[in-house]
Amino acid sequence: FGLWCCFSWRVFSEPNPPVWPQAVHIFAPEDAEDRNLTAEIATLLKDLNNVTTGHYSSERIALLFKPGSYDVDIEVGYYVQVLGLGRRPQEVAFTGRNGVYSPPMGESPDPGSLDNFWRSAENFHQKSSEGMLWAVSQACPLRRVHVDRNLSLFAPKAWASGGYLADVHVDGYTRLGGQQQWIMRNSNISTPNASILGGQWNIVLVGCTGTPPTTLPHSGSVAALTNVAL
């Protein structure tokens, strides 16, 4: 009984809101009224957006956004999570020119985006005029995001290899370009034309809509797409 009392006291003594560690940064729409959030966040992420200082850094940063609209651009670096705190993606909107994005971190074509690892973004509405660029390679999930325009999972002339997205709704086209080893789940990618979607080896779509049918490589091509309906 004494142990249970002690345990219960520890559980329910947590303050609300909790005391966040220094790695967690919470923003509200009114913060942008007297602060340049784009510049402030760029400074915060400076080392993690550099291959030399960020690749094997011990630093971890979470950027949490309360419901509202943000005219902000955020280049997502190593070990960074961008998360909307609304109940639905539409409750947190990014309206800056680039919004939330991950461009290649290396020279084109090689390594291009082949070093873009270990980052994530989820639960927001990307209303940027440039659509959304998420040119990554492995361990960079994109989840519960509504993209008003095109979703580009590669940058032209830059190599990229692998990724995961789920519960994503794209109003424009989704473009894989030269990407490979991608899996998409439960998403509307609005790109039924395989030549527009692109992609090379091992593209898997599970429970998605707005997609091409399964495609096998043909002469002169390495593209292979597997489409599994739920």
Side-chain angles (χ1 to χ4, degrees):
F1 178 81
L3 179 61
W4 171 248
C5 287
C6 180
F7 176 76
S8 299
W9 180 85
R10 289 181 180 273
V11 170
F12 293 109
S13 66
E14 177 71 26
N16 186 13
V19 178
W20 297 103
Q22 292 184 349
V24 177
H25 302 263
I26 302 177
F27 301 94
E30 56 268 24
D31 293 335
E33 295 176 3
D34 57 357
R35 294 159 59 186
N36 184 338
L37 291 187
T38 294
E40 184 177 318
I41 293 172
T43 300
L44 179 67
L45 303 185
K46 180 180 179 181
D47 288 344
L48 296 180
N49 272 315
N50 180 293
V51 173
T52 302
T53 57
H55 205 162
Y56 296 109
S57 173
S58 60
E59 188 175 8
R60 304 291 185 267
I61 293 181
L63 306 176
L64 279 54
F65 291 84
K66 296 179 181 180
S69 183
Y70 298 84
D71 184 7
V72 177
D73 292 327
I74 304 171
E75 182 178 349
V76 183
Y78 292 110
Y79 312 110
V80 174
Q81 179 192 37
V82 177
L83 174 65
L85 296 177
R87 293 191 177 189
R88 300 180 301 118
Q90 290 75 15
E91 293 181 17
V92 176
F94 291 101
T95 61
R97 180 178 179 182
N98 296 307
V100 177
Y101 69 110
S102 180
M105 300 186 77
E107 297 291 330
S108 295
D110 182 16
S113 293
L114 295 180
D115 280 327
N116 285 45
F117 304 138
W118 312 314
R119 64 202 69 194
S120 66
E122 58 187 293
N123 200 40
F124 58 83
H125 189 179
Q126 180 90 343
K127 302 180 74 172
S128 305
S129 60
E130 297 295 313
M132 185 168 187
L133 174 63
W134 193 249
V136 297
S137 294
Q138 312 292 341
C140 301
L142 184 66
R143 294 181 287 229
R144 297 198 77 216
V145 174
H146 180 183
V147 182
D148 270 2
R149 294 175 174 80
N150 294 338
L151 171 61
S152 297
L153 300 172
F154 78 110
K157 300 181 180 180
W159 293 355
S161 179
Y164 174 86
L165 66 80
D167 199 14
V168 170
H169 183 95
V170 181
D171 290 340
Y173 288 126
T174 300
R175 298 182 184 273
L176 284 161
Q179 273 281 10
Q180 59 180 331
Q181 302 174 42
W182 258 88
I183 181 168
M184 305 181 186
R185 285 187 57 91
N186 305 98
S187 297
N188 180 4
I189 64 171
S190 299
T191 313
N193 188 324
S195 63
I196 294 176
L197 178 64
Q200 299 193 65
W201 301 276
N202 304 329
I203 306 300
V204 179
L205 312 176
V206 181
C208 294
T209 58
T211 63
T214 293
T215 304
L216 298 176
H218 57 273
S219 178
S221 169
V222 296
L225 183 152
T226 302
N227 193 346
V228 181
L230 292 182

